[in-house]
Amino acid sequence: MNRKLLLAFLLSASTLFSCSKKESDTSQSDGVYSLVKIDSFKVSRENKIRILDFQESRESFLGYDAIREEFLLLNKEGEVLEHVKRVGEGPNEYKTNLIAASFDRDNLGYYLLSSQEFIHYDYSWRIIDRTIFSSYYTVNLYSGPRTKVPYFTKEGDSGIRFFSSFFSNVGVHRFDLKDNLDEQKLIEYYDTNSEEIKWAMNLDLDFFSPSELDQQYFSPIQIYHLDQKENLLYLTFRNSNLLGIYDLNDDFKLLKKVNLEHSSFLKTNQARNVSLNKLGNGQLMLLYFSGKSEGDIQIETEKNPNYLAYQDPSCYRFMIIDSNSEEMIEIPFPKGVEPHSEILNFGKDSILLRDQESPNVEQDFSNYSIFKLNFVTP
């Protein structure tokens, strides 16, 4: 008998502001990596927005205003070119809370995903196709979509396959340790060819520590990047020191495991992986929270009673990973940037980050910075 697991994620509507132009460097014997701010823009809108995707061909961002429940089309300067609301019961509307949204693969419009519907819109926001499905796990995000739609296609196949309950940094699985864990399937996805839910990828216990596997219930939280061009899935977990690379063309076949060598990943500091992105040059960028000791947090709190380590950019680090050579190096997370918000990779070696808000200013706009990863040889 099916069971349903309902997860409610409530996100605040606070706005964010700050600017930082300081560069972060990390040296290697043969050169220096540098995360350099190359551009910035402001979105002048009363509510905080969330940028979900970037389309190279149109040089446009897809954003979402959770308060007005509106989708926004923005140019590279942050100007709102279009805003549209589709919540409702009409023929081109949807009723359920969305989890993800993105531009479509064929440059025809947009994909929207909830726990019950996969909707393909054209650029005029008229429905091209609507797929209704019933997921084993149900995920509700009351704040609206938080990520791009995790979908892929196989070579020589026109059908779409999308994850129906498998989202980065969103835990839905809960396994009883009495179960045979290494036989449990991890990924639930819908196949538009067969019009049914399918399961893939056995749970690999190598990714988890003995202490995690020793709890009464085991609830892994995945962190991944879905490479739609190369048809690869790069997967790790919140507390893992291992990265797996899987072939989507071959039913999620494991191609390689890469050992992650965090500089500081102490359990006592509540360290954890946060996000994983792949730049256009092929490098992976893993963001992780290194945390602080209780003593260091106490010192910071004495200086600032409102101090929270998880909001402190200095507690985060980017790990740059070459998935072929397995070489990796770390650089600090930029100051003045929000580590909990959007991290959107676009172009060859650039990422979009939201500027951190000022606690003393209430503004009606959102600031974003664009950083480029540079490598300079001596």
Side-chain angles (χ1 to χ4, degrees):
M1 182 176 68
N2 264 10
R3 58 177 177 175
K4 294 284 184 178
L5 178 62
L6 177 63
L7 299 179
F9 293 85
L10 303 176
L11 299 180
S12 66
S14 60
T15 53
L16 300 171
F17 171 76
S18 184
C19 264
S20 172
K21 295 186 179 180
K22 189 168 183 179
E23 302 171 4
S24 302
D25 295 347
T26 296
S27 296
Q28 274 186 314
S29 59
D30 56 347
V32 175
Y33 272 107
S34 182
L35 195 59
V36 183
K37 181 175 176 178
I38 60 172
D39 204 353
S40 64
F41 61 84
K42 178 175 71 174
V43 181
S44 298
R45 193 166 176 86
E46 181 179 351
N47 304 316
K48 172 185 173 182
I49 68 145
R50 185 179 304 125
I51 294 181
L52 302 167
D53 199 6
F54 178 75
Q55 190 171 58
E56 196 79 38
S57 61
R58 303 181 77 195
E59 294 191 332
S60 299
F61 292 102
L62 177 63
Y64 184 75
D65 183 331
I67 303 301
R68 296 183 180 179
E69 297 180 305
E70 289 182 339
F71 282 98
L72 313 173
L73 186 67
L74 308 126
N75 64 17
K76 293 179 72 174
E77 288 72 45
E79 298 173 325
V80 179
L81 306 176
E82 180 184 45
H83 58 92
V84 62
K85 185 171 183 176
R86 281 293 180 264
V87 178
E89 298 185 0
N92 287 309
E93 297 175 329
Y94 58 85
K95 295 182 290 184
T96 53
N97 296 314
L98 296 178
I99 304 166
S102 61
F103 292 105
D104 75 7
R105 58 173 183 161
D106 298 319
N107 298 325
L108 298 175
Y110 313 94
Y111 288 140
L112 273 58
L113 177 65
S114 73
S115 60
Q116 301 173 10
E117 293 180 302
F118 176 72
I119 309 173
H120 190 189
Y121 281 97
D122 64 18
Y123 282 130
S124 297
W125 289 93
R126 295 186 296 262
I127 288 182
I128 298 174
D129 187 48
R130 187 196 298 264
T131 300
I132 308 296
F133 61 93
S134 179
S135 178
Y136 184 78
Y137 292 102
T138 300
V139 179
N140 280 334
L141 300 182
Y142 295 124
S143 61
R146 269 176 44 185
T147 183
K148 294 191 293 186
V149 175
Y151 71 91
F152 65 99
T153 60
K154 289 188 176 182
E155 292 181 358
D157 191 340
S158 62
I160 299 287
R161 295 161 179 82
F162 57 86
F163 297 161
S164 52
S165 64
F166 191 76
F167 304 96
S168 193
N169 224 349
V170 176
V172 297
H173 299 81
R174 189 185 186 194
F175 300 109
D176 192 326
L177 292 186
K178 296 176 183 177
D179 299 334
N180 193 351
L181 290 182
D182 54 8
E183 293 183 0
Q184 300 299 311
K185 298 292 186 181
L186 188 62
I187 297 179
E188 180 187 22
Y189 71 95
Y190 186 91
D191 187 342
T192 59
N193 287 322
S194 60
E195 299 183 346
E196 63 180 354
I197 292 284
K198 294 184 177 181
W199 288 88
M201 192 184 295
N202 285 357
L203 187 62
D204 189 338
L205 303 186
D206 288 347
F207 285 83
F208 310 101
S209 66
S211 60
E212 287 182 275
L213 299 173
D214 199 32
Q215 304 295 320
Q216 181 179 1
Y217 293 101
F218 176 55
S219 301
I221 298 178
Q222 61 277 351
I223 308 291
Y224 68 81
H225 174 80
L226 188 65
D227 187 335
Q228 295 160 325
K229 292 182 179 179
E230 299 293 333
N231 265 13
L232 296 173
L233 174 68
Y234 297 87
L235 173 68
T236 185
F237 294 85
R238 180 171 289 186
N239 304 115
S240 184
N241 285 295
L242 199 62
L243 170 74
I245 305 175
Y246 300 86
D247 186 355
L248 301 177
N249 281 321
D250 195 7
D251 297 324
F252 298 87
K253 178 183 178 181
L254 176 66
L255 300 177
K256 183 190 292 188
K257 288 180 181 178
V258 178
N259 289 311
L260 299 176
E261 299 175 1
H262 303 81
S263 294
S264 178
F265 208 60
L266 299 177
K267 183 178 180 181
T268 53
N269 289 358
Q270 298 183 342
R272 56 188 177 272
N273 297 316
V274 176
S275 69
L276 181 64
N277 286 276
K278 184 180 182 182
L279 300 178
N281 60 13
Q283 291 175 306
L284 299 170
M285 293 187 71
L286 174 70
L287 177 66
Y288 78 92
F289 174 70
S290 59
K292 286 183 180 292
S293 67
E294 291 185 7
D296 288 338
I297 291 176
Q298 184 176 352
I299 292 173
E300 295 291 345
T301 305
E302 289 173 355
K303 294 186 292 186
N304 176 11
N306 297 319
Y307 178 82
L308 294 170
Y310 78 91
Q311 293 180 342
D312 184 353
S314 70
C315 291
Y316 292 81
R317 298 184 67 81
F318 273 123
M319 183 184 295
I320 314 301
I321 307 167
D322 186 315
S323 59
N324 293 317
S325 67
E326 301 186 20
E327 181 182 6
M328 57 194 71
I329 193 170
E330 294 190 10
I331 58 176
F333 191 80
K335 293 182 179 180
V337 175
E338 172 57 58
H340 302 287
S341 198
E342 304 97 316
I343 300 179
L344 182 66
N345 58 296
F346 65 100
K348 183 179 179 181
D349 49 12
S350 299
I351 58 171
L352 176 78
L353 300 170
R354 178 189 287 274
D355 290 350
Q356 205 167 35
E357 68 175 343
S358 169
N360 302 318
V361 177
E362 184 177 350
Q363 75 279 341
D364 54 358
F365 54 85
S366 298
N367 275 351
Y368 289 91
S369 293
I370 297 173
F371 290 83
K372 182 177 181 180
L373 182 66
N374 281 352
F375 182 74
V376 181
T377 56

